[in-house]
Amino acid sequence: MLPQVKTILFACDLEDKTQESLSLVMSIAASQKAKIIFMHAIEPMNHQAQSMINNYLPIEELQSLRREALNSVKDAIETQITIFYENHANDNELPEKPEYLIIQEDASSAIKHAVEDHKVDLVVMNSRTHSKIGQMIIGSTANKVIHQSQVPVMVIPLR
């Protein structure tokens, strides 16, 4: 018997070309009758930056800024989903609207934890083209996820 994909994690940076990737994810979900979790990771600040901000902003203002950032990401995800459904309104094969998940953690760790916590069967993510030097210095989230994942990972190259 062929394996069934029941839950797809779409890890997205919400940059341009999200609709193209979302279309592929939706197509896979429709063919597998799978649930989609649309995930975005908000990278944490390093300790020095966090200390500096804590010294200059009152705690209430920091909490307000964090809420605004989370709401902004939530709105961006909901906008992408809405645009997709509006553009494909006549398609009778569409899967359910994706759930969304916003995690405040580095992207590769966020994906790993989401896979574990939500029993994900397939990870789909974008990857941007970087120079060889850029990959050595910065590292690649897609590369980390591919080599650490316990489930299949599909990487969509963006150019």
Short mmCIF file of all heavy atoms in Angstrom, two decimals, residues 76-119:
data_model
loop_
_atom_site.label_atom_id
_atom_site.label_comp_id
_atom_site.label_asym_id
_atom_site.label_seq_id
_atom_site.Cartn_x
_atom_site.Cartn_y
_atom_site.Cartn_z
N ALA A 76 -0.99 38.55 7.22
CA ALA A 76 -0.33 38.22 5.96
C ALA A 76 -0.67 36.79 5.53
O ALA A 76 -0.93 36.54 4.35
CB ALA A 76 1.18 38.38 6.10
N ILE A 77 -0.69 35.86 6.47
CA ILE A 77 -1.06 34.47 6.15
C ILE A 77 -2.51 34.41 5.69
O ILE A 77 -2.82 33.80 4.66
CB ILE A 77 -0.84 33.55 7.37
CG1 ILE A 77 0.66 33.41 7.65
CG2 ILE A 77 -1.49 32.19 7.14
CD1 ILE A 77 0.98 32.69 8.95
N GLU A 78 -3.40 35.05 6.45
CA GLU A 78 -4.82 35.03 6.08
C GLU A 78 -5.05 35.68 4.71
O GLU A 78 -5.87 35.21 3.93
CB GLU A 78 -5.65 35.71 7.16
CG GLU A 78 -5.74 34.88 8.42
CD GLU A 78 -6.48 35.57 9.56
OE1 GLU A 78 -6.75 36.79 9.47
OE2 GLU A 78 -6.78 34.87 10.55
N THR A 79 -4.29 36.73 4.41
CA THR A 79 -4.41 37.38 3.10
C THR A 79 -3.98 36.43 1.99
O THR A 79 -4.66 36.32 0.95
CB THR A 79 -3.56 38.67 3.06
OG1 THR A 79 -4.06 39.57 4.05
CG2 THR A 79 -3.59 39.32 1.69
N GLN A 80 -2.88 35.72 2.18
CA GLN A 80 -2.41 34.77 1.16
C GLN A 80 -3.44 33.67 0.92
O GLN A 80 -3.72 33.29 -0.22
CB GLN A 80 -1.07 34.15 1.56
CG GLN A 80 0.09 35.11 1.53
CD GLN A 80 0.42 35.59 0.12
OE1 GLN A 80 0.19 34.92 -0.87
NE2 GLN A 80 0.95 36.80 0.04
N ILE A 81 -4.03 33.16 1.99
CA ILE A 81 -5.05 32.11 1.86
C ILE A 81 -6.28 32.65 1.16
O ILE A 81 -6.83 32.01 0.26
CB ILE A 81 -5.39 31.53 3.25
CG1 ILE A 81 -4.17 30.78 3.81
CG2 ILE A 81 -6.61 30.62 3.18
CD1 ILE A 81 -4.28 30.40 5.27
N THR A 82 -6.72 33.84 1.53
CA THR A 82 -7.89 34.46 0.91
C THR A 82 -7.66 34.69 -0.58
O THR A 82 -8.53 34.38 -1.41
CB THR A 82 -8.24 35.79 1.61
OG1 THR A 82 -8.53 35.51 2.98
CG2 THR A 82 -9.42 36.48 0.95
N ILE A 83 -6.51 35.22 -0.94
CA ILE A 83 -6.19 35.45 -2.35
C ILE A 83 -6.23 34.14 -3.12
O ILE A 83 -6.79 34.06 -4.22
CB ILE A 83 -4.80 36.13 -2.50
CG1 ILE A 83 -4.85 37.57 -2.01
CG2 ILE A 83 -4.31 36.07 -3.95
CD1 ILE A 83 -3.48 38.23 -1.87
N PHE A 84 -5.66 33.10 -2.54
CA PHE A 84 -5.66 31.80 -3.22
C PHE A 84 -7.09 31.34 -3.49
O PHE A 84 -7.43 30.94 -4.60
CB PHE A 84 -4.92 30.74 -2.41
CG PHE A 84 -4.98 29.40 -3.06
CD1 PHE A 84 -4.08 29.07 -4.06
CD2 PHE A 84 -5.98 28.49 -2.74
CE1 PHE A 84 -4.15 27.85 -4.71
CE2 PHE A 84 -6.06 27.27 -3.38
CZ PHE A 84 -5.15 26.95 -4.37
N TYR A 85 -7.94 31.36 -2.48
CA TYR A 85 -9.32 30.89 -2.65
C TYR A 85 -10.11 31.76 -3.61
O TYR A 85 -10.95 31.26 -4.36
CB TYR A 85 -10.02 30.75 -1.29
CG TYR A 85 -9.69 29.43 -0.65
CD1 TYR A 85 -8.63 29.31 0.23
CD2 TYR A 85 -10.41 28.28 -0.95
CE1 TYR A 85 -8.30 28.09 0.80
CE2 TYR A 85 -10.09 27.06 -0.38
CZ TYR A 85 -9.04 26.97 0.48
OH TYR A 85 -8.71 25.77 1.03
N GLU A 86 -9.85 33.06 -3.62
CA GLU A 86 -10.52 33.93 -4.58
C GLU A 86 -10.08 33.62 -6.01
O GLU A 86 -10.90 33.60 -6.93
CB GLU A 86 -10.22 35.41 -4.26
CG GLU A 86 -10.97 35.91 -3.04
CD GLU A 86 -10.55 37.31 -2.61
OE1 GLU A 86 -9.61 37.89 -3.21
OE2 GLU A 86 -11.15 37.82 -1.65
N ASN A 87 -8.80 33.34 -6.20
CA ASN A 87 -8.29 33.03 -7.54
C ASN A 87 -8.70 31.65 -8.03
O ASN A 87 -8.60 31.36 -9.22
CB ASN A 87 -6.76 33.14 -7.57
CG ASN A 87 -6.28 34.57 -7.45
OD1 ASN A 87 -7.02 35.51 -7.71
ND2 ASN A 87 -5.04 34.73 -7.02
N HIS A 88 -9.12 30.77 -7.13
CA HIS A 88 -9.48 29.41 -7.50
C HIS A 88 -10.92 29.08 -7.07
O HIS A 88 -11.23 27.93 -6.78
CB HIS A 88 -8.50 28.42 -6.88
CG HIS A 88 -7.11 28.59 -7.38
ND1 HIS A 88 -6.24 29.50 -6.81
CD2 HIS A 88 -6.44 28.01 -8.40
CE1 HIS A 88 -5.09 29.45 -7.46
NE2 HIS A 88 -5.18 28.57 -8.43
N ALA A 89 -11.77 30.07 -7.08
CA ALA A 89 -13.15 29.91 -6.60
C ALA A 89 -13.93 28.85 -7.37
O ALA A 89 -14.81 28.20 -6.81
CB ALA A 89 -13.89 31.25 -6.66
N ASN A 90 -13.62 28.63 -8.63
CA ASN A 90 -14.36 27.68 -9.45
C ASN A 90 -13.82 26.25 -9.37
O ASN A 90 -14.36 25.35 -10.00
CB ASN A 90 -14.37 28.14 -10.91
CG ASN A 90 -15.11 29.45 -11.07
OD1 ASN A 90 -16.05 29.74 -10.33
ND2 ASN A 90 -14.67 30.27 -12.02
N ASP A 91 -12.76 26.06 -8.64
CA ASP A 91 -12.15 24.74 -8.52
C ASP A 91 -12.88 23.94 -7.43
O ASP A 91 -12.84 24.30 -6.26
CB ASP A 91 -10.67 24.88 -8.17
CG ASP A 91 -9.91 23.58 -8.30
OD1 ASP A 91 -10.55 22.50 -8.28
OD2 ASP A 91 -8.68 23.64 -8.41
N ASN A 92 -13.53 22.86 -7.82
CA ASN A 92 -14.31 22.07 -6.88
C ASN A 92 -13.47 21.11 -6.05
O ASN A 92 -13.96 20.48 -5.13
CB ASN A 92 -15.38 21.26 -7.62
CG ASN A 92 -16.38 22.16 -8.30
OD1 ASN A 92 -16.66 23.25 -7.82
ND2 ASN A 92 -16.91 21.71 -9.43
N GLU A 93 -12.20 20.99 -6.38
CA GLU A 93 -11.34 20.01 -5.72
C GLU A 93 -10.50 20.61 -4.59
O GLU A 93 -9.59 19.96 -4.08
CB GLU A 93 -10.39 19.39 -6.76
CG GLU A 93 -11.08 18.79 -7.94
CD GLU A 93 -11.24 17.29 -7.80
OE1 GLU A 93 -10.42 16.68 -7.13
OE2 GLU A 93 -12.20 16.76 -8.36
N LEU A 94 -10.77 21.86 -4.21
CA LEU A 94 -9.93 22.52 -3.22
C LEU A 94 -10.03 21.83 -1.85
O LEU A 94 -11.11 21.44 -1.42
CB LEU A 94 -10.33 23.98 -3.05
CG LEU A 94 -9.97 24.91 -4.20
CD1 LEU A 94 -10.51 26.31 -3.93
CD2 LEU A 94 -8.48 24.96 -4.43
N PRO A 95 -8.90 21.71 -1.18
CA PRO A 95 -8.94 21.17 0.18
C PRO A 95 -9.49 22.22 1.15
O PRO A 95 -9.72 23.36 0.78
CB PRO A 95 -7.47 20.87 0.48
CG PRO A 95 -6.71 21.81 -0.39
CD PRO A 95 -7.55 22.03 -1.62
N GLU A 96 -9.66 21.79 2.40
CA GLU A 96 -10.08 22.74 3.44
C GLU A 96 -9.07 23.86 3.55
O GLU A 96 -7.90 23.69 3.24
CB GLU A 96 -10.14 22.04 4.80
CG GLU A 96 -11.25 21.07 4.97
CD GLU A 96 -11.23 20.47 6.38
OE1 GLU A 96 -10.76 21.14 7.33
OE2 GLU A 96 -11.67 19.34 6.51
N LYS A 97 -9.53 25.01 4.05
CA LYS A 97 -8.59 26.10 4.28
C LYS A 97 -7.53 25.66 5.28
O LYS A 97 -7.83 24.96 6.24
CB LYS A 97 -9.32 27.34 4.82
CG LYS A 97 -10.10 28.07 3.76
CD LYS A 97 -10.54 29.41 4.24
CE LYS A 97 -11.19 30.15 3.08
NZ LYS A 97 -11.58 31.50 3.43
N PRO A 98 -6.30 26.06 5.03
CA PRO A 98 -5.22 25.67 5.94
C PRO A 98 -5.39 26.27 7.33
O PRO A 98 -5.92 27.35 7.49
CB PRO A 98 -3.97 26.25 5.28
CG PRO A 98 -4.34 26.50 3.87
CD PRO A 98 -5.81 26.80 3.87
N GLU A 99 -4.91 25.52 8.31
CA GLU A 99 -4.70 26.09 9.63
C GLU A 99 -3.44 26.93 9.51
O GLU A 99 -2.69 26.79 8.55
CB GLU A 99 -4.43 24.99 10.66
CG GLU A 99 -5.54 24.02 10.87
CD GLU A 99 -5.12 22.90 11.84
OE1 GLU A 99 -4.10 23.06 12.58
OE2 GLU A 99 -5.80 21.89 11.85
N TYR A 100 -3.20 27.80 10.48
CA TYR A 100 -1.92 28.49 10.44
C TYR A 100 -1.26 28.41 11.80
O TYR A 100 -1.90 28.21 12.83
CB TYR A 100 -2.03 29.93 9.93
CG TYR A 100 -2.89 30.83 10.76
CD1 TYR A 100 -2.37 31.50 11.86
CD2 TYR A 100 -4.23 31.03 10.44
CE1 TYR A 100 -3.16 32.33 12.63
CE2 TYR A 100 -5.02 31.86 11.20
CZ TYR A 100 -4.49 32.50 12.29
OH TYR A 100 -5.27 33.32 13.06
N LEU A 101 0.06 28.52 11.75
CA LEU A 101 0.87 28.37 12.93
C LEU A 101 2.00 29.39 12.85
O LEU A 101 2.69 29.47 11.83
CB LEU A 101 1.43 26.95 12.94
CG LEU A 101 2.31 26.47 14.08
CD1 LEU A 101 1.54 26.52 15.40
CD2 LEU A 101 2.78 25.05 13.80
N ILE A 102 2.15 30.18 13.89
CA ILE A 102 3.22 31.17 13.95
C ILE A 102 4.08 30.80 15.15
O ILE A 102 3.60 30.70 16.27
CB ILE A 102 2.67 32.61 14.11
CG1 ILE A 102 1.72 32.94 12.95
CG2 ILE A 102 3.82 33.61 14.19
CD1 ILE A 102 0.88 34.18 13.18
N ILE A 103 5.37 30.54 14.86
CA ILE A 103 6.28 30.10 15.92
C ILE A 103 7.42 31.10 16.04
O ILE A 103 8.00 31.51 15.04
CB ILE A 103 6.84 28.70 15.60
CG1 ILE A 103 5.69 27.69 15.47
CG2 ILE A 103 7.82 28.27 16.68
CD1 ILE A 103 6.13 26.29 15.12
N GLN A 104 7.72 31.49 17.27
CA GLN A 104 8.83 32.40 17.52
C GLN A 104 10.06 31.58 17.87
O GLN A 104 10.31 31.26 19.04
CB GLN A 104 8.46 33.39 18.62
CG GLN A 104 7.36 34.32 18.21
CD GLN A 104 7.02 35.34 19.27
OE1 GLN A 104 6.95 35.02 20.44
NE2 GLN A 104 6.81 36.56 18.84
N GLU A 105 10.79 31.23 16.82
CA GLU A 105 11.95 30.36 16.94
C GLU A 105 12.68 30.39 15.60
O GLU A 105 12.09 30.76 14.59
CB GLU A 105 11.45 28.94 17.26
CG GLU A 105 12.48 27.94 17.62
CD GLU A 105 11.87 26.61 18.06
OE1 GLU A 105 10.70 26.31 17.75
OE2 GLU A 105 12.59 25.86 18.72
N ASP A 106 13.95 29.98 15.58
CA ASP A 106 14.62 29.95 14.28
C ASP A 106 13.88 28.94 13.39
O ASP A 106 13.27 27.98 13.87
CB ASP A 106 16.10 29.60 14.42
CG ASP A 106 16.33 28.17 14.81
OD1 ASP A 106 16.31 27.87 16.02
OD2 ASP A 106 16.51 27.33 13.91
N ALA A 107 13.89 29.19 12.09
CA ALA A 107 13.02 28.46 11.16
C ALA A 107 13.23 26.96 11.18
O ALA A 107 12.26 26.20 11.23
CB ALA A 107 13.21 29.02 9.74
N SER A 108 14.48 26.49 11.15
CA SER A 108 14.69 25.04 11.09
C SER A 108 14.20 24.36 12.38
O SER A 108 13.59 23.28 12.32
CB SER A 108 16.15 24.70 10.80
OG SER A 108 17.00 25.22 11.79
N SER A 109 14.41 24.97 13.52
CA SER A 109 13.91 24.40 14.79
C SER A 109 12.39 24.46 14.85
O SER A 109 11.74 23.52 15.33
CB SER A 109 14.50 25.15 15.98
OG SER A 109 15.90 25.00 16.03
N ALA A 110 11.82 25.56 14.36
CA ALA A 110 10.36 25.69 14.34
C ALA A 110 9.72 24.59 13.49
O ALA A 110 8.71 24.00 13.88
CB ALA A 110 9.97 27.07 13.82
N ILE A 111 10.32 24.32 12.34
CA ILE A 111 9.80 23.27 11.46
C ILE A 111 9.91 21.92 12.15
O ILE A 111 8.95 21.13 12.17
CB ILE A 111 10.55 23.27 10.11
CG1 ILE A 111 10.19 24.55 9.33
CG2 ILE A 111 10.23 22.02 9.30
CD1 ILE A 111 11.07 24.82 8.13
N LYS A 112 11.05 21.64 12.76
CA LYS A 112 11.25 20.37 13.46
C LYS A 112 10.19 20.18 14.54
O LYS A 112 9.57 19.12 14.65
CB LYS A 112 12.65 20.33 14.07
CG LYS A 112 12.94 19.07 14.84
CD LYS A 112 14.33 19.12 15.45
CE LYS A 112 14.62 17.82 16.17
NZ LYS A 112 14.90 17.95 17.56
N HIS A 113 9.96 21.22 15.35
CA HIS A 113 8.98 21.11 16.43
C HIS A 113 7.55 20.99 15.91
O HIS A 113 6.74 20.25 16.47
CB HIS A 113 9.12 22.29 17.40
CG HIS A 113 10.40 22.24 18.15
ND1 HIS A 113 11.23 23.34 18.30
CD2 HIS A 113 11.05 21.22 18.77
CE1 HIS A 113 12.30 22.99 18.99
NE2 HIS A 113 12.21 21.72 19.28
N ALA A 114 7.24 21.70 14.83
CA ALA A 114 5.90 21.60 14.25
C ALA A 114 5.64 20.19 13.71
O ALA A 114 4.54 19.66 13.87
CB ALA A 114 5.73 22.64 13.14
N VAL A 115 6.65 19.60 13.09
CA VAL A 115 6.52 18.23 12.57
C VAL A 115 6.20 17.27 13.72
O VAL A 115 5.30 16.44 13.63
CB VAL A 115 7.81 17.79 11.83
CG1 VAL A 115 7.83 16.28 11.59
CG2 VAL A 115 7.94 18.53 10.51
N GLU A 116 6.93 17.42 14.82
CA GLU A 116 6.71 16.55 15.97
C GLU A 116 5.36 16.79 16.63
O GLU A 116 4.63 15.85 16.95
CB GLU A 116 7.83 16.76 17.00
CG GLU A 116 9.19 16.32 16.52
CD GLU A 116 10.34 16.84 17.39
OE1 GLU A 116 10.08 17.63 18.34
OE2 GLU A 116 11.49 16.47 17.12
N ASP A 117 5.02 18.06 16.84
CA ASP A 117 3.81 18.42 17.59
C ASP A 117 2.52 18.17 16.82
O ASP A 117 1.47 17.97 17.43
CB ASP A 117 3.86 19.88 18.03
CG ASP A 117 4.99 20.17 19.00
OD1 ASP A 117 5.57 19.21 19.57
OD2 ASP A 117 5.30 21.36 19.20
N HIS A 118 2.57 18.22 15.49
CA HIS A 118 1.35 18.14 14.68
C HIS A 118 1.28 16.89 13.80
O HIS A 118 0.45 16.82 12.90
CB HIS A 118 1.21 19.41 13.83
CG HIS A 118 1.06 20.64 14.66
ND1 HIS A 118 -0.14 21.05 15.18
CD2 HIS A 118 1.97 21.53 15.11
CE1 HIS A 118 0.03 22.15 15.89
NE2 HIS A 118 1.31 22.46 15.87
N LYS A 119 2.16 15.93 14.05
CA LYS A 119 2.18 14.67 13.30
C LYS A 119 2.17 14.91 11.79
O LYS A 119 1.33 14.38 11.07
CB LYS A 119 1.02 13.79 13.73
CG LYS A 119 1.11 13.39 15.19
CD LYS A 119 -0.01 12.50 15.61
CE LYS A 119 0.22 12.09 17.05
NZ LYS A 119 -0.96 12.13 17.86
#
